[in-house]
Amino acid sequence: MKDRINGIRKEARASWWEDGITEIVAGLGVLVIGSVGISGYALEGRVPPWSYAVFILLMVALAFGIRWVVLWAKERWVWPHTGYSVVKGRGGKYLIPFYLIVFALLALAFLFPSYTPIVGGTVGAVILVSLALYNGLRRFYALALLSFVLGILLYSVGIRDDRATFLILIGVGSVMFFLGVLRFARFKREVSSAHEG
Amino acid sequence: MRDNLYSKLSSLDRTINEPARLSIMAALYDLKEADFVFLQRLTGLTRGNLSAHIYKLADKGYIAVEKRFVGKKPVTVCRLTPEGERAFREYVRVLEDLVKGKGD
């Protein structure tokens, strides 16, 4: 009985991710944040202070704005086919720990700058594994592994400053976006074949 | 101890202690709200069956049912009431105690 309850609860939470829209929006957001940081470096030859400000602003905008964008997209492309459902925004209670982790990461990177890629990759992996466990999303384990491996890889090739964090964000964001697009394409195909059938 | 376990078993909420209604409650527990089509897909119940169970849960005050528009489409939206959430949590707690053999 307990397994059945947990199974249905997990299925209800996973339904939020089944069409790929959340991954497209989150992946794109993370990709943009990383790209802004790395563009600052490309322009000035170092990570300029303004890119940190933009980085933090975009992080806050992504955390609060992702739900609106996803709801807007689902209303147009998903709910007419699957039925309407909105997952509970339990993210709110995780926002404070999330920002504590981000600031701890910044502090660690400040104190031990050469370990920035390893710390960044590990924190990314922890966040992604938590999402995978809570929502029953196995593909997020692969993203977590990617984040961790990228951290190690950047450390070993000698990219040990804040560029590493931005490169990890670009790597994870683009793969997440790509996975989301694939998932959305599959979803659209299934929906149209269901209509034909 | 044994008597306590029996009394716990009899204290299981009978409205929730039915597979179809339990599925609906479990599905809605993690959702802010959902419509009939979605719940039908998730629980695998027929429309008539789902409707009967939803209204039984609504009568008990565990579920709020509301008709409204999502975009341009009229939908029947269901969500757990605070009382429903409490009842579901209590049901799961009693169930866990029974599985662990706790009869305190």
Side-chain angles (χ1 to χ4, degrees):
Chain A
M1 190 71 110
K2 193 84 187 15
D3 286 348
R4 183 171 161 75
I5 295 172
N6 285 336
I8 288 185
R9 287 187 58 193
K10 210 168 243 189
E11 220 178 305
R13 290 196 296 264
S15 68
W16 186 250
W17 302 82
E18 70 184 348
D19 46 63
I21 285 179
T22 311
E23 276 143 301
I24 292 176
V25 178
L28 201 60
V30 169
L31 181 60
V32 168
I33 291 170
S35 305
V36 166
I38 218 70
S39 322
Y41 184 87
L43 286 172
E44 299 193 17
R46 67 187 173 96
V47 180
W50 62 261
S51 75
Y52 289 108
V54 176
F55 174 79
I56 290 170
L57 269 176
L58 286 175
M59 287 288 268
V60 174
L62 181 67
F64 287 101
I66 186 170
R67 201 172 166 85
W68 291 340
V69 181
V70 170
L71 288 175
W72 177 84
K74 277 180 184 276
E75 190 180 313
R76 267 144 200 84
W77 297 302
V78 179
W79 292 332
H81 308 289
T82 62
Y84 165 76
S85 75
V86 178
V87 80
K88 261 183 195 153
R90 295 200 202 273
K93 69 178 179 188
Y94 299 116
L95 275 182
I96 292 172
F98 175 74
Y99 282 114
L100 282 177
I101 289 173
V102 171
F103 286 117
L105 166 68
L106 290 174
L108 267 176
F110 183 73
L111 288 172
F112 310 102
S114 61
Y115 289 106
T116 299
I118 294 178
V119 175
T122 308
V123 169
V126 168
I127 292 171
L128 289 161
V129 166
S130 321
L131 275 171
L133 283 172
Y134 184 68
N135 296 299
L137 306 165
R138 274 179 297 179
R139 58 193 182 276
F140 272 47
Y141 290 117
L143 284 171
L145 185 66
L146 173 71
S147 172
F148 185 71
V149 169
L150 271 177
I152 302 283
L153 202 69
L154 289 166
Y155 181 81
S156 54
V157 298
I159 300 177
R160 294 176 185 179
D161 54 18
D162 290 335
R163 274 179 305 161
T165 308
F166 297 131
L167 288 172
I168 292 169
L169 288 174
I170 290 174
V172 173
S174 31
V175 174
M176 189 186 274
F177 174 74
F178 181 66
L179 287 177
V181 170
L182 284 181
R183 209 164 180 82
F184 185 65
R186 199 176 71 183
F187 170 78
K188 291 296 278 180
R189 209 172 40 242
E190 279 171 7
V191 160
S192 58
S193 64
H195 275 286
E196 280 162 20
Chain B
M1 172 82 167
R2 202 173 168 81
D3 285 347
N4 282 339
L5 278 176
Y6 279 122
S7 73
K8 279 226 165 205
L9 191 59
S10 60
S11 76
L12 272 175
D13 189 324
R14 284 166 195 237
T15 312
I16 304 178
N17 196 28
E18 196 282 332
R21 289 197 285 274
L22 181 58
S23 300
I24 296 167
M25 295 287 282
L28 286 174
Y29 188 71
D30 283 286
L31 298 174
K32 194 176 155 206
E33 50 191 19
D35 74 353
F36 261 56
V37 179
F38 178 85
L39 286 173
Q40 206 182 331
R41 199 166 59 94
L42 196 71
T43 57
L45 296 169
T46 62
R47 197 167 172 80
N49 214 347
L50 177 68
S51 180
H53 288 301
I54 292 266
Y55 285 107
K56 204 161 274 183
L57 289 165
D59 274 350
K60 187 82 180 176
Y62 290 169
I63 282 182
V65 183
E66 185 191 336
K67 288 184 194 295
R68 68 157 190 262
F69 280 86
V70 172
K72 289 175 185 169
K73 208 178 159 196
V75 289
T76 307
V77 176
C78 307
R79 65 169 184 280
L80 277 192
T81 60
E83 198 186 341
E85 284 203 20
R86 262 196 306 276
F88 181 73
R89 270 199 300 269
E90 177 62 15
Y91 178 87
V92 172
R93 196 187 60 77
V94 173
L95 204 62
E96 273 171 352
D97 285 355
L98 282 167
V99 172
K100 286 178 195 156
K102 274 201 236 167
D104 46 349

